[in-house]
Amino acid sequence: MTERRRKTLWQFPWLYRESMIFIAGLILVGYALQFSVGPFNFLLLRYPVNMIVAAVLVLLLTGGFFLRSNPFIVWLSGVPFAVTLLGAFLLLGLIMGLTPQDALLPVQPDAQQAPPPVWHALGWARMTASWPFVFIYFLLLLSLGLLVARRLAHPQIAQWAFYCNHVGLWFVLLVAGLGYADIGRYVMLVRKGEMQWSGKNHAQESFELPLAIRLNDFTIDFFPPKLVVIDRVTATPQPPLRPVFYQINPDAPDGRLPGWTVHVETYLEKAARNSSNTYSAWPMEGAVPAALVTARNSDNTQQRTGWVSSGNMSQFYMRLPLDENYSLAMAQPEPKRFASDITVYTQDGQTVDAVLEVNKPLEIGHWTIYQYSYDTRAGTMSAYSSIELVYDPWLYYVYAGFAVLALGCAGLIWTGRKKAEGGI
């Protein structure tokens, strides 16, 4: 009985050892580039460069199809390399999930800033722009594409779900990665009754956009404000480590605060001060919420009654002194809904009327328009609406890839069910 000869390292067929060494070496090369030249600049892949990269990748896959029997191609599209590659991808993804991520913006060197933390130097704070992540990403595209190319050499109708699954995933990875550089994000400040056609990017650079927006009206609704006991000197909510608030509720006018019980006698959502310490209803621009409150201490030995108001840019706030140390105050109300009534004008003459709300964007061609913010200091008196415009010409291709992927997943579930029924 002859003893089986043991395979030496780097002798074909390559398996897990060679795959792990290769991936580890590639990651080390990536970190060397990370330290020497900084993060990968995705803006280099703007159109038409991304199309050229995609064409080169397709040519490589075509060559792999004709050389599918080559041991190196077999290894690149084989299970050991794919498992090792996915393990490295998941490890980088785990680090990304555990590390606060910065926005993918170009790094602006500043000599006055302190040296970045270690995770910034390693690229962990911007993982998707780090060289190791970029290398692993492109290897995933290459390995997955070669696997599909090899399987297409002997296509089988019965494996249509496999093809849809892998082709859909490959296409999503391709267009989502290469198309990122073409995404544009701009913030436009539009004043009520005016039209704006320029927006600013992340670097506060102004650009003239192919869309113009007119703000017809801006409305904002607030939750009922909250009452809180504060320190009269420092205005610190009490208790300092974990402040307690009581949100005004006309249906439940009684609340408890540290050391005090409060009863809301009258609540005016929109009011104006009509004397030094009283308020009356005033449903006009510049109105503030106000409440007439009676507060009793826990010993029921002291009682205070008076008006409190959060105030705004046109009216001073009002507090109710409780004792020599504390006062009762009304916090600024939190926005419940804010919306912009806008008209959008496009270069091709299209006019679209819409009401923008948070999480209810407007899509026009390759543009998605979001309600972004407003003048939070002015509140209901905000003179402008902040609108975000996102340009993504690759978005529908990503949707198409997900549709093919979903079709493949449904096919795999269906064929698995049929096999299970056949086995029964």
Short mmCIF file of all heavy atoms in Angstrom, two decimals, residues 304-346:
data_model
loop_
_atom_site.label_atom_id
_atom_site.label_comp_id
_atom_site.label_asym_id
_atom_site.label_seq_id
_atom_site.Cartn_x
_atom_site.Cartn_y
_atom_site.Cartn_z
N ARG A 304 -47.79 77.20 44.17
CA ARG A 304 -47.48 78.30 43.27
C ARG A 304 -48.37 78.20 42.04
O ARG A 304 -48.56 77.10 41.49
CB ARG A 304 -46.00 78.25 42.84
CG ARG A 304 -45.01 78.37 43.99
CD ARG A 304 -44.97 79.79 44.52
NE ARG A 304 -43.94 79.95 45.53
CZ ARG A 304 -44.11 79.78 46.83
NH1 ARG A 304 -45.34 79.45 47.29
NH2 ARG A 304 -43.13 79.93 47.68
N THR A 305 -48.90 79.31 41.60
CA THR A 305 -49.75 79.35 40.40
C THR A 305 -49.26 80.48 39.51
O THR A 305 -49.00 81.59 39.98
CB THR A 305 -51.23 79.57 40.75
OG1 THR A 305 -51.69 78.51 41.58
CG2 THR A 305 -52.09 79.61 39.48
N GLY A 306 -49.12 80.17 38.23
CA GLY A 306 -48.67 81.19 37.29
C GLY A 306 -48.53 80.62 35.89
O GLY A 306 -48.69 79.42 35.65
N TRP A 307 -48.21 81.51 34.96
CA TRP A 307 -48.06 81.14 33.55
C TRP A 307 -46.61 80.74 33.28
O TRP A 307 -45.68 81.32 33.83
CB TRP A 307 -48.45 82.30 32.65
CG TRP A 307 -49.92 82.54 32.57
CD1 TRP A 307 -50.66 83.34 33.38
CD2 TRP A 307 -50.83 81.97 31.62
NE1 TRP A 307 -51.99 83.32 33.01
CE2 TRP A 307 -52.12 82.48 31.92
CE3 TRP A 307 -50.70 81.09 30.55
CZ2 TRP A 307 -53.25 82.14 31.19
CZ3 TRP A 307 -51.83 80.75 29.81
CH2 TRP A 307 -53.08 81.26 30.13
N VAL A 308 -46.47 79.77 32.38
CA VAL A 308 -45.15 79.37 31.88
C VAL A 308 -45.24 79.31 30.36
O VAL A 308 -46.30 79.00 29.80
CB VAL A 308 -44.67 78.02 32.45
CG1 VAL A 308 -44.39 78.13 33.93
CG2 VAL A 308 -45.68 76.92 32.17
N SER A 309 -44.14 79.63 29.70
CA SER A 309 -44.10 79.59 28.24
C SER A 309 -42.67 79.34 27.79
O SER A 309 -41.71 79.77 28.45
CB SER A 309 -44.62 80.90 27.65
OG SER A 309 -44.46 80.91 26.24
N SER A 310 -42.55 78.65 26.66
CA SER A 310 -41.21 78.36 26.12
C SER A 310 -40.62 79.54 25.38
O SER A 310 -39.41 79.63 25.19
CB SER A 310 -41.28 77.15 25.18
OG SER A 310 -42.19 77.40 24.12
N GLY A 311 -41.49 80.47 24.91
CA GLY A 311 -40.99 81.63 24.19
C GLY A 311 -40.51 81.28 22.79
O GLY A 311 -40.42 80.11 22.40
N ASN A 312 -40.16 82.28 22.03
CA ASN A 312 -39.56 82.11 20.72
C ASN A 312 -38.78 83.37 20.36
O ASN A 312 -38.47 84.17 21.24
CB ASN A 312 -40.62 81.76 19.66
CG ASN A 312 -41.68 82.84 19.51
OD1 ASN A 312 -41.50 83.98 19.94
ND2 ASN A 312 -42.80 82.48 18.90
N MET A 313 -38.50 83.55 19.08
CA MET A 313 -37.67 84.67 18.68
C MET A 313 -38.38 86.01 18.85
O MET A 313 -37.73 87.06 18.92
CB MET A 313 -37.25 84.51 17.21
CG MET A 313 -36.33 83.31 16.97
SD MET A 313 -35.77 83.20 15.25
CE MET A 313 -34.78 84.68 15.11
N SER A 314 -39.71 86.00 18.94
CA SER A 314 -40.44 87.26 19.08
C SER A 314 -40.99 87.50 20.48
O SER A 314 -41.42 88.62 20.78
CB SER A 314 -41.61 87.29 18.08
OG SER A 314 -42.53 86.25 18.36
N GLN A 315 -40.99 86.46 21.32
CA GLN A 315 -41.52 86.62 22.68
C GLN A 315 -40.57 85.94 23.68
O GLN A 315 -40.03 84.88 23.40
CB GLN A 315 -42.91 85.98 22.80
CG GLN A 315 -43.97 86.59 21.91
CD GLN A 315 -45.34 86.09 22.26
OE1 GLN A 315 -45.75 86.14 23.43
NE2 GLN A 315 -46.07 85.59 21.26
N PHE A 316 -40.38 86.58 24.82
CA PHE A 316 -39.54 86.02 25.87
C PHE A 316 -40.24 84.83 26.52
O PHE A 316 -41.47 84.73 26.52
CB PHE A 316 -39.22 87.06 26.94
CG PHE A 316 -38.25 88.12 26.49
CD1 PHE A 316 -38.68 89.43 26.30
CD2 PHE A 316 -36.93 87.80 26.23
CE1 PHE A 316 -37.79 90.41 25.88
CE2 PHE A 316 -36.04 88.77 25.81
CZ PHE A 316 -36.47 90.07 25.63
N TYR A 317 -39.42 83.93 27.06
CA TYR A 317 -39.97 82.80 27.80
C TYR A 317 -40.50 83.28 29.16
O TYR A 317 -40.19 84.38 29.62
CB TYR A 317 -38.90 81.72 28.01
CG TYR A 317 -37.69 82.19 28.77
CD1 TYR A 317 -37.68 82.22 30.17
CD2 TYR A 317 -36.53 82.60 28.10
CE1 TYR A 317 -36.58 82.67 30.87
CE2 TYR A 317 -35.42 83.04 28.80
CZ TYR A 317 -35.45 83.07 30.18
OH TYR A 317 -34.36 83.52 30.87
N MET A 318 -41.30 82.43 29.79
CA MET A 318 -41.86 82.74 31.10
C MET A 318 -41.66 81.51 32.00
O MET A 318 -42.01 80.40 31.63
CB MET A 318 -43.34 83.09 31.00
CG MET A 318 -44.04 83.27 32.35
SD MET A 318 -43.60 84.82 33.16
CE MET A 318 -44.56 85.97 32.17
N ARG A 319 -41.11 81.75 33.20
CA ARG A 319 -40.94 80.68 34.18
C ARG A 319 -41.76 80.98 35.43
O ARG A 319 -42.08 82.14 35.70
CB ARG A 319 -39.46 80.54 34.57
CG ARG A 319 -38.54 80.18 33.41
CD ARG A 319 -37.08 80.20 33.86
NE ARG A 319 -36.17 79.89 32.76
CZ ARG A 319 -34.83 79.93 32.87
NH1 ARG A 319 -34.27 80.30 34.03
NH2 ARG A 319 -34.08 79.63 31.83
N LEU A 320 -42.05 79.92 36.19
CA LEU A 320 -42.79 80.06 37.44
C LEU A 320 -41.85 79.74 38.60
O LEU A 320 -41.47 78.57 38.77
CB LEU A 320 -43.99 79.12 37.46
CG LEU A 320 -44.79 79.06 38.76
CD1 LEU A 320 -45.39 80.43 39.08
CD2 LEU A 320 -45.87 77.99 38.68
N PRO A 321 -41.43 80.72 39.41
CA PRO A 321 -40.55 80.43 40.55
C PRO A 321 -41.28 79.52 41.56
O PRO A 321 -42.42 79.78 41.94
CB PRO A 321 -40.27 81.81 41.14
CG PRO A 321 -40.57 82.78 40.05
CD PRO A 321 -41.68 82.17 39.27
N LEU A 322 -40.59 78.46 41.98
CA LEU A 322 -41.15 77.53 42.96
C LEU A 322 -40.64 77.82 44.37
O LEU A 322 -41.39 77.83 45.33
CB LEU A 322 -40.83 76.08 42.55
CG LEU A 322 -41.39 75.62 41.20
CD1 LEU A 322 -40.90 74.22 40.86
CD2 LEU A 322 -42.91 75.69 41.20
N ASP A 323 -39.35 78.01 44.50
CA ASP A 323 -38.73 78.39 45.77
C ASP A 323 -37.45 79.12 45.46
O ASP A 323 -37.23 79.54 44.31
CB ASP A 323 -38.52 77.16 46.68
CG ASP A 323 -37.74 76.05 45.98
OD1 ASP A 323 -36.89 76.36 45.12
OD2 ASP A 323 -37.97 74.87 46.29
N GLU A 324 -36.58 79.26 46.45
CA GLU A 324 -35.35 80.03 46.22
C GLU A 324 -34.35 79.30 45.33
O GLU A 324 -33.37 79.90 44.86
CB GLU A 324 -34.68 80.37 47.57
CG GLU A 324 -34.22 79.16 48.38
CD GLU A 324 -35.33 78.56 49.22
OE1 GLU A 324 -36.51 79.00 49.06
OE2 GLU A 324 -35.03 77.68 50.05
N ASN A 325 -34.57 78.00 45.06
CA ASN A 325 -33.61 77.22 44.28
C ASN A 325 -34.12 76.80 42.91
O ASN A 325 -33.33 76.64 41.98
CB ASN A 325 -33.20 75.96 45.05
CG ASN A 325 -32.46 76.28 46.33
OD1 ASN A 325 -31.61 77.18 46.36
ND2 ASN A 325 -32.78 75.56 47.41
N TYR A 326 -35.43 76.59 42.77
CA TYR A 326 -35.95 75.98 41.55
C TYR A 326 -37.10 76.78 40.97
O TYR A 326 -37.78 77.53 41.67
CB TYR A 326 -36.40 74.53 41.82
CG TYR A 326 -35.30 73.66 42.38
CD1 TYR A 326 -35.29 73.29 43.72
CD2 TYR A 326 -34.27 73.22 41.56
CE1 TYR A 326 -34.27 72.49 44.23
CE2 TYR A 326 -33.25 72.42 42.06
CZ TYR A 326 -33.25 72.07 43.40
OH TYR A 326 -32.25 71.29 43.90
N SER A 327 -37.27 76.56 39.66
CA SER A 327 -38.39 77.16 38.93
C SER A 327 -39.02 76.10 38.04
O SER A 327 -38.39 75.09 37.69
CB SER A 327 -37.92 78.34 38.06
OG SER A 327 -37.46 79.41 38.84
N LEU A 328 -40.26 76.34 37.67
CA LEU A 328 -40.95 75.48 36.71
C LEU A 328 -40.84 76.15 35.34
O LEU A 328 -41.14 77.34 35.20
CB LEU A 328 -42.41 75.30 37.10
CG LEU A 328 -43.22 74.35 36.21
CD1 LEU A 328 -42.73 72.91 36.37
CD2 LEU A 328 -44.72 74.44 36.54
N ALA A 329 -40.41 75.38 34.34
CA ALA A 329 -40.20 75.93 33.01
C ALA A 329 -40.86 75.03 31.97
O ALA A 329 -41.17 73.87 32.22
CB ALA A 329 -38.70 76.07 32.71
N MET A 330 -41.07 75.60 30.81
CA MET A 330 -41.62 74.86 29.67
C MET A 330 -40.52 74.68 28.64
O MET A 330 -39.89 75.67 28.21
CB MET A 330 -42.80 75.62 29.05
CG MET A 330 -43.39 74.92 27.82
SD MET A 330 -44.72 75.89 27.04
CE MET A 330 -46.02 75.73 28.26
N ALA A 331 -40.25 73.42 28.29
CA ALA A 331 -39.23 73.14 27.28
C ALA A 331 -39.75 73.51 25.89
O ALA A 331 -40.96 73.63 25.66
CB ALA A 331 -38.85 71.67 27.32
N GLN A 332 -38.82 73.70 24.96
CA GLN A 332 -39.22 74.00 23.59
C GLN A 332 -39.99 72.81 23.02
O GLN A 332 -39.57 71.66 23.15
CB GLN A 332 -37.99 74.27 22.72
CG GLN A 332 -37.30 75.59 22.99
CD GLN A 332 -38.15 76.77 22.56
OE1 GLN A 332 -39.01 76.66 21.68
NE2 GLN A 332 -37.93 77.92 23.19
N PRO A 333 -41.15 73.03 22.41
CA PRO A 333 -41.93 71.91 21.86
C PRO A 333 -41.17 71.21 20.74
O PRO A 333 -40.44 71.84 19.97
CB PRO A 333 -43.21 72.57 21.35
CG PRO A 333 -42.85 74.00 21.15
CD PRO A 333 -41.80 74.33 22.18
N GLU A 334 -41.36 69.90 20.64
CA GLU A 334 -40.70 69.10 19.61
C GLU A 334 -41.58 69.00 18.38
O GLU A 334 -42.80 68.84 18.49
CB GLU A 334 -40.39 67.71 20.16
CG GLU A 334 -39.47 67.72 21.37
CD GLU A 334 -39.32 66.34 21.98
OE1 GLU A 334 -39.99 65.41 21.49
OE2 GLU A 334 -38.54 66.21 22.93
N PRO A 335 -40.98 69.11 17.18
CA PRO A 335 -41.79 69.07 15.95
C PRO A 335 -42.39 67.68 15.73
O PRO A 335 -41.72 66.66 15.88
CB PRO A 335 -40.79 69.43 14.85
CG PRO A 335 -39.45 69.09 15.42
CD PRO A 335 -39.55 69.33 16.90
N LYS A 336 -43.67 67.66 15.39
CA LYS A 336 -44.36 66.41 15.08
C LYS A 336 -44.42 66.18 13.58
O LYS A 336 -44.30 65.06 13.10
CB LYS A 336 -45.78 66.46 15.66
CG LYS A 336 -46.62 65.25 15.34
CD LYS A 336 -47.92 65.25 16.15
CE LYS A 336 -48.77 66.47 15.88
NZ LYS A 336 -50.07 66.41 16.58
N ARG A 337 -44.57 67.25 12.85
CA ARG A 337 -44.64 67.17 11.38
C ARG A 337 -44.28 68.52 10.81
O ARG A 337 -44.75 69.56 11.28
CB ARG A 337 -46.06 66.78 10.94
CG ARG A 337 -46.30 66.86 9.43
CD ARG A 337 -47.77 66.64 9.11
NE ARG A 337 -48.04 66.81 7.69
CZ ARG A 337 -48.35 67.97 7.12
NH1 ARG A 337 -48.43 69.08 7.87
NH2 ARG A 337 -48.59 68.06 5.81
N PHE A 338 -43.41 68.52 9.80
CA PHE A 338 -43.17 69.75 9.06
C PHE A 338 -43.13 69.40 7.58
O PHE A 338 -42.61 68.37 7.18
CB PHE A 338 -41.92 70.50 9.53
CG PHE A 338 -40.66 69.70 9.59
CD1 PHE A 338 -39.77 69.69 8.53
CD2 PHE A 338 -40.34 68.97 10.73
CE1 PHE A 338 -38.58 68.98 8.59
CE2 PHE A 338 -39.16 68.26 10.80
CZ PHE A 338 -38.28 68.26 9.73
N ALA A 339 -43.71 70.27 6.80
CA ALA A 339 -43.90 69.98 5.38
C ALA A 339 -43.72 71.24 4.55
O ALA A 339 -43.95 72.36 5.02
CB ALA A 339 -45.28 69.38 5.14
N SER A 340 -43.31 71.02 3.31
CA SER A 340 -43.11 72.13 2.38
C SER A 340 -44.01 71.93 1.16
O SER A 340 -43.96 70.87 0.52
CB SER A 340 -41.64 72.20 1.92
OG SER A 340 -40.79 72.44 3.01
N ASP A 341 -44.81 72.92 0.88
CA ASP A 341 -45.63 72.94 -0.33
C ASP A 341 -44.76 73.57 -1.42
O ASP A 341 -44.48 74.77 -1.38
CB ASP A 341 -46.90 73.74 -0.09
CG ASP A 341 -47.82 73.74 -1.31
OD1 ASP A 341 -47.43 73.20 -2.36
OD2 ASP A 341 -48.93 74.31 -1.22
N ILE A 342 -44.34 72.74 -2.39
CA ILE A 342 -43.36 73.21 -3.38
C ILE A 342 -43.87 72.99 -4.79
O ILE A 342 -44.79 72.21 -5.04
CB ILE A 342 -42.00 72.48 -3.22
CG1 ILE A 342 -42.16 70.99 -3.49
CG2 ILE A 342 -41.41 72.73 -1.85
CD1 ILE A 342 -40.85 70.24 -3.57
N THR A 343 -43.24 73.72 -5.71
CA THR A 343 -43.41 73.50 -7.15
C THR A 343 -42.02 73.30 -7.74
O THR A 343 -41.13 74.12 -7.52
CB THR A 343 -44.10 74.69 -7.82
OG1 THR A 343 -45.39 74.90 -7.23
CG2 THR A 343 -44.28 74.43 -9.30
N VAL A 344 -41.84 72.19 -8.48
CA VAL A 344 -40.55 71.85 -9.06
C VAL A 344 -40.60 72.09 -10.56
O VAL A 344 -41.56 71.67 -11.23
CB VAL A 344 -40.18 70.38 -8.77
CG1 VAL A 344 -38.80 70.06 -9.33
CG2 VAL A 344 -40.23 70.10 -7.28
N TYR A 345 -39.59 72.77 -11.07
CA TYR A 345 -39.49 73.05 -12.50
C TYR A 345 -38.24 72.34 -13.04
O TYR A 345 -37.15 72.46 -12.47
CB TYR A 345 -39.37 74.56 -12.76
CG TYR A 345 -40.51 75.37 -12.19
CD1 TYR A 345 -40.45 75.87 -10.88
CD2 TYR A 345 -41.65 75.64 -12.94
CE1 TYR A 345 -41.49 76.62 -10.35
CE2 TYR A 345 -42.69 76.39 -12.42
CZ TYR A 345 -42.61 76.87 -11.12
OH TYR A 345 -43.64 77.61 -10.60
N THR A 346 -38.40 71.60 -14.13
CA THR A 346 -37.28 70.87 -14.74
C THR A 346 -36.84 71.55 -16.02
O THR A 346 -37.56 72.40 -16.58
CB THR A 346 -37.68 69.42 -15.03
OG1 THR A 346 -38.72 69.40 -16.02
CG2 THR A 346 -38.19 68.72 -13.77
#
